[in-house]
Amino acid sequence: MNGAESLVRTLVASGVDTCFANPGTSEMHFVAALDRVPGMRSVLCLFEGVATGAADGYARMMKKPAATLMHCGPGLANGLSLLHNAKRARVPIVNIVGDQATYHAPLDPPLSTDTEGLSRPVSAWVRRVTKTETLGADAAVAVQAARRPPSGIATLILPSDVSWNEGGAVGAPLPVPEPSKVSADAVRDAARTLSSREPALMLLNGDAVSKEGLALAHRIAAKTGVQLAAPTFNTKLARGRGRYPLERIPYIVDVAVAKYAGIKHLILVGAGEPVTFFAYPGKPSFSTPKDAKLHVFARPEDDLVDALVRLADELNCPDVVLPEGPRPALAQGRMTVEGAAATLAALMPTHAIVVDEGITLRDPFFNATANGPPHDWLGNIGGAIGGGLPLATGAAIAEPKRRVVTLTGDGSAMYAVQSLWTQAREQLDVTTIILSNRKYAVLYRELEGVGAKPGPTVNDLFALDRPTLDWVAMSKSMGVDAARADTLERLADLLRRSFSTPGPFLIELPLE
Ligand SMILES: Cc1ncc(C[n+]2csc(CCOP(=O)(O)OP(=O)(O)O)c2C)c(N)n1
């Protein structure tokens, strides 16, 4: 068996059965091994950012890693920004990065670069394999490293001769490390703080915002009066009817600071401190008051549901019934973002997966869908835009029975637009909604926030209308049927059609 085959067999044996790939010469033996080894679904992505973003979306749904296959340091570099987001989302991914043969790399051929150096900032684990005999065992360690709580990115750099040489041995799957349990002291400290009834905010993340985690947090809030919130952007937030409607920390610093002004205790459940997205002259760097006491109740690597169960027990929290508001009605008439949001909330199927890269237009959709059918909400956590379409692609591969709805700004969608081609090729159930305001609207807000002034160059650099993007033609050219909705009635028709027709569809929404 050659090294490549031992690698693919080890990945499959360790539960990695999906590979988002963009191969080159150094990965030829890996690709050939995919033909010989059953059990790995290979998905071609026409840019490495599509592969890495799709691996993020897949992992958010499956809670296990997919592999990516990328070509040398430059291929990895193309995928880095969405690996940055995936790292922030704390998801497992195993990157396989092909590289020059061990004896050829020192000769400095064109594609050689510091591949380890490029890997490190996004990876929890990096290894350049130098011996075919250890490749299988190294791959098993990579999968384990990716799955070590709170999950991370493992990057295995694979010289081409390590791949093609004989002597490969399949690595035995290694145990998946368990999350740690919070200490009894931490439970008692949190219970004592909450029993004091001083104003407190509990910031929830990870499994604490699953359906189960939210129900527990809701019981704790009903008993103690603690405010609950999620970070501004989330890996996967359970929402809709039957799930506790969690607020997110507002993005706008002044709004967040005013909202949490009186907070005396900040209790972290798998979340970090609420650092604002950017610094703005004269504004604080935290959304909660400086003098609020920090309680690290549970860390991201802890079993967060267990922590909440024990806290709810310690506080003797009774069960609570969730009040349910009415499902939003269909809106009619002129296209507005609020009307579009209500229309989506009225029509979205049960257990949809919403991928949110709506930038300035996202809040109305978030608010309108609170009483929609149960769904998951996937956000852009690392702040590198362009991940929406790839995330949706990976989530749809992970969950073929669920409809994925992508809400994306037109600017953001242009970063990895070739995701649509993969969606067409794999016939994925993704409905992409382009919020087409033909500008980088958020940058006007940021410009004002940092105290800079608009001018002709600013206007030119923030405008997407010279030339205009023809979303319908662009989408159709990649095999995804598409239409434009100028009225809310037309949007409702298109959504109904897409939700009842297998495969991808794109709707362009002209908005201001
Ligand atoms: C990788 C990366 N490049 C650039 C930016 C800066 N940036 C943030 S939002 C944005 C524009 C988003 O435009 P669009 O998706 O059309 O949404 P809108 O602001 O119009 O609502 C840009 C360029 C970023 N966050 N990440």
Side-chain angles (χ1 to χ4, degrees):
M1 185 184 334
N2 69 15
E5 187 170 326
S6 74
L7 171 55
V8 177
R9 287 194 188 279
T10 303
L11 291 174
V12 172
S14 304
V16 179
D17 57 14
T18 304
C19 178
F20 298 100
N22 190 271
T25 308
S26 37
E27 295 77 53
M28 289 296 102
H29 283 273
F30 184 95
V31 174
L34 290 171
D35 260 332
R36 292 196 299 280
V37 180
M40 180 75 85
R41 178 174 182 182
S42 305
V43 180
L44 179 58
C45 301
L46 301 186
F47 177 66
E48 290 82 350
V50 178
T52 53
D56 180 358
Y58 175 94
R60 291 191 197 197
M61 302 316 301
M62 298 293 278
K63 293 192 155 198
K64 68 168 193 171
T68 65
L69 179 66
M70 293 180 280
H71 182 48
C72 302
L76 170 66
N78 278 345
L80 279 181
S81 65
L82 296 187
L83 286 174
H84 160 87
N85 284 359
K87 175 186 172 178
R88 294 266 167 182
R90 297 204 172 90
V91 295
I93 295 178
V94 176
N95 293 320
I96 309 293
V97 184
D99 216 346
Q100 299 291 347
T102 50
Y103 60 87
H104 195 58
L107 309 178
D108 197 29
L111 274 159
S112 69
T113 181
D114 182 2
T115 309
E116 277 113 313
L118 290 168
S119 308
R120 278 216 173 84
V122 295
S123 304
W125 181 99
V126 181
R127 186 169 296 173
R128 173 185 291 276
V129 186
T130 52
K131 288 197 186 77
T132 301
E133 292 73 17
T134 66
L135 176 56
D138 288 331
V141 177
V143 177
Q144 187 183 48
R147 301 194 76 170
R148 188 176 303 287
S151 295
I153 297 171
T155 302
L156 193 139
I157 301 166
L158 179 62
S160 52
D161 54 337
V162 173
S163 235
W164 72 52
N165 283 339
E166 292 297 313
V170 180
L174 298 172
V176 178
E178 291 288 324
S180 40
K181 304 278 189 216
V182 302
S183 69
D185 275 355
V187 175
R188 273 193 300 272
D189 172 70
R192 206 177 309 121
T193 305
L194 291 171
S195 301
S196 77
R197 290 215 154 238
E198 288 191 318
L201 174 70
M202 208 170 191
L203 193 51
L204 307 164
N205 200 15
D207 281 349
V209 299
S210 64
K211 183 182 182 204
E212 205 183 351
L214 286 175
L216 289 159
H218 187 201
R219 281 172 55 201
I220 294 166
K223 171 90 188 223
T224 65
V226 65
Q227 270 193 72
L228 302 176
T232 312
F233 299 95
N234 298 273
T235 299
K236 184 169 74 174
L237 180 57
R239 304 189 71 235
R241 299 169 83 87
R243 283 102 183 265
Y244 179 79
L246 196 61
E247 292 189 348
R248 302 174 300 185
I249 300 231
Y251 176 88
I252 307 277
V253 179
D254 293 340
V255 177
V257 167
K259 188 173 172 74
Y260 301 119
I263 292 296
K264 297 275 180 253
H265 299 276
L266 173 63
I267 302 171
L268 302 180
V269 188
E273 285 182 78
V275 177
T276 60
F277 229 66
F278 294 104
Y280 301 93
K283 296 197 174 167
S285 288
F286 288 101
S287 301
T288 43
K290 244 192 188 150
D291 57 357
K293 185 162 180 226
L294 181 67
H295 306 260
V296 183
F297 171 48
R299 295 175 192 277
E301 61 271 29
D302 291 331
D303 183 338
L304 303 181
V305 170
D306 171 80
L308 290 171
V309 167
R310 284 162 57 207
L311 182 56
D313 285 351
E314 180 81 16
L315 288 161
N316 262 320
C317 299
D319 281 339
V320 282
V321 180
L322 202 58
E324 281 192 358
R327 185 170 176 165
L330 275 177
Q332 285 174 339
R334 202 172 57 83
M335 179 59 64
T336 60
V337 64
E338 287 76 17
T343 303
L344 175 65
L347 296 176
M348 67 198 272
T350 302
H351 298 307
I353 299 163
V354 180
V355 172
D356 169 17
E357 197 162 42
I359 317 285
T360 52
L361 299 165
R362 74 189 196 116
D363 284 347
F365 286 95
F366 189 80
N367 297 337
T369 47
N371 283 315
H375 61 276
D376 287 318
W377 195 272
L378 277 49
N380 175 340
I381 301 184
I385 61 168
L389 270 59
L391 265 187
T393 306
I397 288 198
E399 296 279 6
K401 295 199 169 70
R402 298 171 65 177
R403 172 64 50 175
V404 179
V405 177
T406 312
L407 298 167
T408 173
D410 48 357
S412 300
M414 281 304 290
Y415 283 65
V417 70
Q418 58 280 66
S419 305
L420 293 173
W421 183 86
T422 301
Q423 292 176 13
R425 193 176 212 234
E426 301 290 328
Q427 276 303 292
L428 303 178
D429 290 347
V430 181
T431 307
T432 302
I433 301 177
I434 304 284
L435 308 169
S436 173
N437 58 6
R438 299 159 306 284
K439 53 181 170 291
Y440 286 161
V442 69
L443 298 189
Y444 281 103
R445 206 166 68 187
E446 299 295 321
L447 185 86
E448 197 188 335
V450 297
K453 299 272 173 286
T457 306
V458 164
N459 288 332
D460 196 45
L461 287 179
F462 294 1
L464 303 183
D465 59 357
R466 191 165 61 83
T468 36
L469 295 160
D470 185 340
W471 281 100
V472 173
M474 188 164 24
S475 183
K476 286 185 175 176
S477 80
M478 284 181 271
V480 174
D481 196 13
R484 186 180 149 108
D486 289 296
T487 63
L488 293 170
E489 287 80 359
R490 173 86 171 137
L491 172 63
D493 284 348
L494 294 172
L495 286 176
R496 279 197 200 96
R497 186 167 111 198
S498 174
F499 294 158
S500 60
T501 312
F505 192 76
L506 180 141
I507 302 170
E508 178 181 359
L509 281 194
L511 290 164
E512 281 322 310

